[in-house]
Amino acid sequence: MKILVTSGKRKTAIARATIKPGKGRIRINKMPVEIIQPEIAKMMVLEPLIMAKDLANKVDINIEVDGGGVMGQMEAARTAIARALVEWSGDEELKKIYIEYDRSLLVNDVRRKEPKKQGGRGARKRRQTSYR
């Protein structure tokens, strides 16, 4: 039996997807994807599956996500799913469809939080000074 593991990252969230032959079950942290809240996060995770059409019904995908917030985790899971489907099928056409639709489906988002600096409350904000 063929089993494949891929990963996706977004901010501080890391998702590991395990793909194997099955009936089209997708689970995120042992929870079926159908009951994930909020609705927008669920739709985001389902995008790569909808574009893969019938391939999505032939495999089971289990995703373990940790770190980050809800949306960061969902975006990481989405990248992991898309990568798993492309690697599983070996389909260049599917890869092209994903890249044209949204590059972040196959490429990790490398943006991180800018560190805070002294003399202010955040990364850029500074305390005002008066020259009089």
Side-chain angles (χ1 to χ4, degrees):
M1 192 167 92
K2 185 172 150 189
I3 294 179
L4 203 106
V5 178
T6 58
S7 71
K9 287 182 181 180
R10 172 74 167 101
K11 290 188 176 178
T12 54
I14 300 169
R16 280 175 290 281
T18 310
I19 186 170
K20 58 188 177 199
K23 301 175 188 162
R25 285 189 220 113
I26 315 297
R27 290 174 171 269
I28 297 179
N29 289 343
K30 297 183 179 147
M31 217 165 77
V33 77
E34 291 79 32
I35 59 171
I36 281 174
Q37 292 293 336
E39 196 67 26
I40 189 103
K42 180 170 81 176
M43 298 314 284
M44 212 163 64
V45 169
L46 292 175
E47 279 174 355
L49 299 163
I50 293 163
M51 284 187 269
K53 296 181 183 89
D54 56 334
L55 172 66
N57 299 326
K58 296 176 189 165
V59 292
D60 287 349
I61 305 174
N62 288 320
I63 302 143
E64 289 298 318
V65 196
D66 57 317
V70 176
M71 292 312 273
Q73 284 191 351
M74 291 306 126
E75 285 189 38
R78 169 181 191 241
T79 301
I81 291 169
R83 282 181 173 176
L85 290 171
V86 166
E87 218 172 304
W88 183 266
S89 65
D91 189 0
E92 284 298 316
E93 193 59 40
L94 183 64
K95 190 174 182 176
K96 215 159 83 178
I97 290 167
Y98 284 161
I99 296 261
E100 273 176 35
Y101 177 74
D102 183 1
R103 189 165 176 268
S104 70
L105 278 169
L106 297 176
V107 181
N108 287 332
D109 197 330
V110 294
R111 294 176 295 174
R112 296 290 176 264
K113 186 173 173 285
E114 190 176 331
K116 182 200 172 295
K117 286 129 194 133
Q118 83 280 8
R121 293 183 67 173
R124 300 287 174 92
K125 190 175 180 185
R126 294 286 153 257
R127 290 196 190 91
Q128 282 191 348
T129 54
S130 169
Y131 299 106
R132 292 189 181 89

